Amino acid sequence: MADVWIVVLRGLQYAAGALLLGLPAFMLYSQQAVGPLGLRWPRQVLIWAAAAAAVAAPAALVTQTAMMAGSLSEAVKPATLAFMVTGMGLGQALMVRTLAAVLALGAALLLRPGRPMWSVLTLLGVIVSASFAWTGHGAATEGAGHAAHLISDVLHALAASIWIGALAAFAVLVVRRPAEDPAWEASVARSLTGFAGVGATAVGTLIVTGLINSAFLVGPSKALELWTSPYGVLLMIKLVLFGLMLGLAAIHRFRLAPLMARDAGQALPHLKKSLTIEFAAALGILAVIAVMGTLPPPAAL
């Protein structure tokens, strides 16, 4: 039962982390496009995301401690938790994540929406997302490759959060479309075009760091035998979903964004459908990696 809770809590933290970094970052680099719209929902979403991370991270700490200690009653003892927090990188990362999430919640509640608020939340989102590297397989690599794998894992988590957070922003923008508003249509078209550089950087980073991580976790000798392990099967599913997201992102950039600028009425139904599919694929990837983090990679078998 604890294994199930670990997966659920990991998935919840991944989703919250993506929003805490990707959404305020989107509000920063898309300020000229979406600023005039006076959006209120990003603050509300970030409040819920920060609250979810602030609850899920310490819950994950207790659950992980229970797994290692053998029982929940042993895990909640102060001495056991103190050892987990002070003596293990996993516990330290979860505590840092909890603190960053609590600070993000306070910032989202107390600050007014605007560049200062988005900047603070983006910084805290970087801390939350980067901390995932210390609670995953990247931190377990030993020897000369430890630093390279850990850095790659950090960059992979940051790039994923940037992409998924922006995707969530676009999905909400399209779903909450006001009736016949030329200013809104122009803002969405500009934000789609403006995301091109950020999105390309995020995708490039994901591909490069994904290859590096796979070299450590799968290894060249087992790259053609992925179907022989549960981790490998899930990795193949993740790659298929990533390919689907990549294809849809290309359609958004090169077909729907120009069409949106010319004829929003024609572009919007296609954009809403493709964004829904892409967002579902992103959630599927988060669910997959939540499970993958609990499984031994092929290189360790």
Side-chain angles (χ1 to χ4, degrees), residues 115-291:
R115 185 168 293 274
M117 175 182 173
W118 307 135
S119 299
V120 170
L121 288 174
T122 298
L123 176 60
L124 293 170
V126 166
I127 296 173
V128 170
S129 290
S131 71
F132 293 134
W134 279 268
T135 55
H137 290 304
T141 298
E142 299 178 350
H146 174 76
H149 191 187
L150 193 60
I151 292 172
S152 177
D153 230 12
V154 169
L155 294 176
H156 197 80
L158 295 179
S161 293
I162 289 290
W163 189 3
I164 294 175
L167 180 59
F170 285 126
V172 177
L173 278 172
V174 171
V175 170
R176 296 172 64 95
R177 175 202 180 193
E180 301 298 329
D181 188 340
W184 175 89
E185 295 168 357
S187 293
V188 173
R190 286 198 302 271
S191 63
L192 281 170
T193 303
F195 181 66
V198 175
T201 301
V203 168
T205 301
L206 285 170
I207 292 174
V208 173
T209 56
L211 291 172
I212 294 173
N213 292 345
S214 295
F216 283 104
L217 298 175
V218 178
S221 63
K222 297 185 178 180
L224 300 179
E225 302 175 357
L226 291 178
W227 67 88
T228 61
S229 68
Y231 184 99
V233 172
L234 289 174
L235 177 58
M236 290 191 292
I237 294 173
K238 177 187 174 183
L239 291 175
V240 170
L241 292 174
F242 176 73
L244 175 61
M245 291 181 66
L246 195 57
L248 290 172
I251 293 173
H252 296 160
R253 170 66 182 90
F254 297 108
R255 179 186 173 189
L256 294 181
L259 181 60
M260 185 77 184
R262 298 193 309 269
D263 187 348
Q266 182 180 354
L268 274 172
H270 301 289
L271 185 61
K272 183 180 294 187
K273 181 179 180 180
S274 62
L275 280 172
T276 300
I277 297 173
E278 188 177 356
F279 192 60
L283 294 178
I285 287 178
L286 294 181
V288 166
I289 61 175
V291 178

